Amino acid sequence: MRLYPPSVSLIALLAVLLANTAAPRSAEATSALALSVPEMAQVSAAVVVGTIGTSRQEIHPIHARPVTATVITVDRTLAGAAPPDLEIRQWRGTLNGRTSAIPGDPSLEPGTRALFFLRNVDGQWFLTALSQSVFSLGTETDPRLHRTVDLALFVRTPDGALQRLAEPLPVPATLSAMESALRGVTLRGEETTP
Amino acid sequence: MTRLHLPHPLGAAMLVLAAIGLLLPAAAHAWAPLTSCGGGNYTAWPTGNPHTTWHYSTPYPSTDLPLATVMTVLEDSFVEWGTPGCSAFTVEQGPNTTQDPMGWNSTDAVGFYENTFPASLGSGTLAVTFPSWDSGCNLYNANMVVNGYHHTWGTSGSGNDLQSVVTHEFGHWLGLDHSSYGDSTMTAYYSGGTGDRTISCDDTDAVCTLYPSGGTSCDTNDDCACGVSCQGGWCGGVVAGDDDDDDDDDDGAPGGSCAGALESQGEQEPNNSHSQGVFQSITSAGGDLTISGDIWCANNGQDWTGDVDWYVIDVPCADQVRFTADWSGLLASDIDFYVYDANNNEIVHNTEEDYWGPASAEGYGDTQLKAVVLCWSGPPVSYTFEVDWYPWGPGDFGDDDDDDDDDDDDDDGAPGDDDDDDDDDGAPADDDDGSNDDDDDDSAAPGPVADFVSDCSCSTGSSGGAPWLSLLLIPLLRRRRR
């Protein structure tokens, strides 16, 4: 148990509240490689800004898991190509009274406008790198992009070993900075299962 | 892995401190549960022993690491979460399974995806855990998949260290979300300090909230809540000094309620077969009990076929005991031990494959303990099995009279006890109570020497053995997991 002075804890509480209202609500964490913005773009089919819409649940044909498909209405494509409306599929949902969510796969809150890095595999859309792929957009008074990464992130050392990431990788602070960061990056485009 | 921990007087002190903390302006933890059902009800495995049983999925093996290595890594990663004394979390490896570890209806399976990996998770994902829970926040099942399709796995600092990743994933398995504490195994950005394979104080806080035992034993500061240090094997340490009674709690009260004479029996050595027909009485040493034995090891590849040593230990009160099995010197021997209560309910076992100890556990030893030691493979091996009566002190096996872990009451750390009284002056004299006997237990009774058990319900005939033993050995013989 750690005890903090009231002022510190109050600030922390406010920060948490603000983060929870501004960003798509994050779920849990899993283990993944930390990807920079260019790296994430290189394995994506599109980088878009859109608004989270309704979702529906289906059952995965092979693993019989609940899958949630959430509509994203795209109003801006920063890189790659994407249709005006697309569905992001995530392995989460409730089936027969049991709820499951893949740790680190963010919960997409309807009505929230955000920036997404997306893969397209066999015609279906997925987040490129779980919660690393979603940035909430700033407000008029604070136009900065925000990202809540609740993955356990690893990087490779020069000799190839895995090492936990100690500090967040730098990300563009604003939408225009993101566009600049994506300029010149070749996206992977649509993939097909081998 | 199974560890049981007992409430301890210091646990009560910790609760008081925790209660005081609640009165302070802000008390915060950085860890988070997968989800909350309100009222402090977080996602967790239902109470049980073990809380969860995991199964290795044989159709989904690693192509990078040998099976034995993978098993060791998985078990070590799970065990890490049961290390803190305050954690009651228990987990056990069950039989291998053929279930798909990514399947919705799979039951607590662990495996490697080597030929493909779902696009929805991304190629950068190293490993993922699939917990599912019901509306009451009870974890229903969990499965874990390691991405062997995009990544190659190893066991040390070079390459992808499987244990670093799996230890984190098992945090999800037991119901944890991410943490904002920098050194936590469950944090996104790890600032170091404890190593990726070991849990931090924040992780300890988490697992002990979800699975509290009330215990306070520790090996390192990370086994204690953040801000509490591990001193002398206990979170927060013990009270300094010695009250010269027959326990280590230094509370000024007479020795623990289990300070009576011991009455125990066990198999008489040498006996290197299934036959359990010869009994011996076991003499206590200084109030605690130390049993030494030699055991032969054998198995036919499937079942245990060798020697088994067994003991019936009468607990002279309804109270707690701590017990440990310790063997050393013959590292190739694979020894297991099981401890049961008077009703043949298992209190604890240690069946780690190729495990060479020492192993320790704490448990309720109400009225009777029944211990079985057996060996699966390797050369013959000597071992000791020790029982320490509550209340005990740090490092106090075989010694109940002080708290500096030597054999006297002066707390100077030097060995030596003149075995007559508490002043260690070499002269025969008082016992602090004037009893002038030859021990330190502050009672007028002679020093503790066990008698052959007279009130034991077991058969003491020369051929029958203990009736409970035959019942227990049936599952033991079939329990093997190779």
Side-chain angles (χ1 to χ4, degrees):
Chain A
M1 179 181 298
R2 285 209 146 182
L3 305 179
Y4 297 96
S7 56
V8 174
S9 61
L10 183 59
I11 292 169
L13 177 62
L14 288 172
V16 169
L17 289 174
L18 287 172
N20 282 344
T21 53
R25 184 168 161 267
S26 292
E28 300 81 32
T30 194
S31 304
L33 288 177
L35 299 179
S36 67
V37 162
E39 287 172 334
M40 202 152 48
Q42 286 166 0
V43 292
S44 296
V47 182
V48 305
V49 173
T51 302
I52 299 169
T54 58
S55 60
R56 62 185 176 85
Q57 185 169 298
E58 56 190 37
I59 304 300
H60 193 279
I62 298 174
H63 302 289
R65 289 189 161 274
V67 173
T68 296
T70 304
V71 173
I72 304 294
T73 301
V74 176
D75 58 63
R76 192 170 172 189
T77 300
L78 276 63
D85 290 295
L86 55 85
E87 279 187 326
I88 296 176
R89 282 178 167 76
Q90 299 173 281
W91 283 18
R92 57 168 51 238
T94 299
L95 181 63
N96 297 330
R98 287 161 52 197
T99 299
S100 179
I102 292 179
D105 209 1
S107 174
L108 304 177
E109 298 298 315
T112 305
R113 189 164 175 263
L115 183 151
F116 303 90
F117 284 73
L118 301 173
R119 293 178 75 192
N120 187 322
V121 182
D122 298 331
Q124 294 192 327
W125 293 91
F126 306 99
L127 295 174
T128 297
L130 301 175
S131 59
Q132 292 184 87
S133 320
V134 183
F135 294 75
S136 65
L137 303 176
T139 62
E140 284 188 10
T141 54
D142 181 9
R144 289 176 298 178
L145 299 175
H146 296 277
R147 182 173 68 166
T148 301
V149 177
D150 51 4
L151 298 154
L153 292 175
F154 290 77
V155 291
R156 291 196 190 285
T157 61
D159 63 357
L162 275 183
Q163 181 176 298
R164 290 289 294 275
L165 183 65
E167 300 286 342
L169 294 178
V171 294
T174 62
L175 205 51
S176 59
M178 179 67 81
E179 285 182 291
S180 299
L182 294 171
R183 202 164 294 141
V185 177
T186 302
L187 276 63
R188 182 173 185 170
E190 184 173 355
E191 305 168 57
T192 54
T193 303
Chain B
M1 187 286 300
T2 301
R3 285 190 63 161
L4 301 174
H5 298 277
L6 291 176
H8 184 275
L10 284 171
M14 294 293 290
L15 287 175
V16 172
L17 289 174
I20 293 171
L22 292 175
L23 301 176
L24 296 176
H29 57 69
W31 66 271
L34 281 175
T35 189
S36 172
C37 292
N41 185 17
Y42 303 130
T43 36
W45 292 95
T47 301
N49 187 8
H51 289 88
T52 177
T53 301
W54 64 276
H55 308 267
Y56 187 69
S57 181
T58 51
Y60 296 88
S62 169
T63 57
D64 302 322
L65 294 169
L67 176 62
T69 301
V70 171
M71 292 298 198
T72 299
V73 168
L74 295 176
E75 183 154 342
D76 289 348
S77 302
F78 265 128
V79 165
E80 179 64 21
W81 288 96
T83 300
C86 55
S87 167
F89 179 67
T90 55
V91 62
E92 189 172 271
Q93 181 185 356
N96 291 344
T97 182
T98 58
Q99 293 181 325
D100 174 6
M102 216 171 274
W104 173 248
N105 291 314
S106 298
T107 305
D108 311 328
V110 179
F112 292 72
Y113 260 56
E114 297 282 356
N115 301 317
T116 184
F117 197 72
S120 57
L121 299 177
S123 58
T125 294
L126 299 164
V128 61
T129 302
F130 301 84
S132 73
W133 55 91
D134 63 21
S135 58
C137 272
N138 296 303
L139 279 169
Y140 184 88
N141 70 354
N143 298 290
M144 194 186 80
V145 175
V146 179
N147 183 356
Y149 180 61
H150 296 106
H151 306 282
T152 302
W153 292 97
T155 57
S156 62
S158 61
N160 298 338
D161 181 23
L162 181 62
Q163 189 168 337
S164 298
V165 171
V166 170
T167 300
H168 169 88
E169 289 305 315
F170 284 152
H172 298 312
W173 185 293
L174 55 87
L176 296 181
D177 195 348
H178 71 284
S179 170
S180 58
Y181 185 72
D183 286 352
S184 170
T185 297
M186 305 307 292
T187 192
Y189 306 108
Y190 178 78
S191 57
T194 60
D196 294 353
R197 294 176 164 196
T198 56
I199 65 174
S200 71
C201 62
D202 183 64
D203 302 311
T204 292
D205 206 6
V207 71
C208 292
T209 299
L210 297 183
Y211 307 93
S213 74
T216 60
S217 61
C218 55
D219 294 326
T220 69
N221 290 347
D222 289 319
D223 293 339
C224 305
C226 296
V228 177
S229 61
C230 180
Q231 301 173 38
W234 303 96
C235 294
V238 297
V239 179
D242 181 39
D243 57 3
D244 270 343
D245 62 12
D246 189 39
D247 59 30
D248 285 51
D249 60 7
D250 299 324
D251 62 358
S257 54
C258 279
L262 309 180
E263 297 178 322
S264 306
Q265 63 174 344
E267 178 188 41
Q268 182 172 317
E269 297 283 7
N271 178 10
N272 301 318
S273 72
H274 280 63
S275 170
Q276 312 300 325
V278 183
F279 291 81
Q280 65 172 344
S281 64
I282 300 169
T283 302
S284 65
D288 297 332
L289 184 63
T290 301
I291 299 169
S292 298
D294 302 299
I295 198 160
W296 291 73
C297 314
N299 76 87
N300 62 9
Q302 188 72 32
D303 297 325
W304 163 80
T305 59
D307 183 18
V308 59
D309 289 353
W310 60 272
Y311 307 96
V312 180
I313 303 160
D314 281 4
V315 179
C317 60
D319 213 330
Q320 301 97 330
V321 298
R322 181 166 67 175
F323 34 86
T324 182
D326 185 4
W327 46 89
S328 58
L330 294 168
L331 302 185
S333 298
D334 177 10
I335 294 186
D336 297 348
F337 74 81
Y338 300 77
V339 180
Y340 301 84
D341 66 14
N343 298 315
N344 297 338
N345 297 314
E346 184 178 292
I347 298 172
V348 66
H349 72 249
N350 189 309
T351 58
E352 289 188 47
E353 196 169 347
D354 301 325
Y355 194 79
W356 49 81
S360 64
E362 300 164 5
Y364 290 90
D366 189 350
T367 70
Q368 201 168 66
L369 290 178
K370 299 168 181 177
V372 175
V373 180
L374 53 90
C375 183
W376 282 88
S377 62
V381 60
S382 299
Y383 64 89
T384 58
F385 189 92
E386 301 189 60
V387 181
D388 189 19
W389 309 109
Y390 181 88
W392 54 77
D396 188 40
F397 291 139
D399 174 16
D400 67 346
D401 62 4
D402 60 15
D403 58 11
D404 59 358
D405 207 23
D406 63 9
D407 193 31
D408 58 26
D409 283 327
D410 59 16
D411 300 327
D412 62 2
D417 184 340
D418 55 12
D419 266 342
D420 56 6
D421 56 18
D422 286 332
D423 59 14
D424 300 330
D425 62 3
D430 70 281
D431 188 28
D432 287 342
D433 59 356
S435 59
N436 278 332
D437 63 359
D438 189 35
D439 60 25
D440 287 344
D441 64 10
D442 298 330
S443 73
V449 177
D451 297 324
F452 198 92
V453 66
S454 58
D455 58 351
C456 178
S457 59
C458 309
S459 165
T460 55
S462 60
S463 60
W468 60 270
L469 191 63
S470 59
L471 294 173
L472 297 178
L473 286 179
I474 293 172
L476 287 180
L477 284 165
R478 296 172 179 166
R479 186 180 287 255
R480 204 49 173 173
R481 62 280 179 198
R482 276 192 267 258

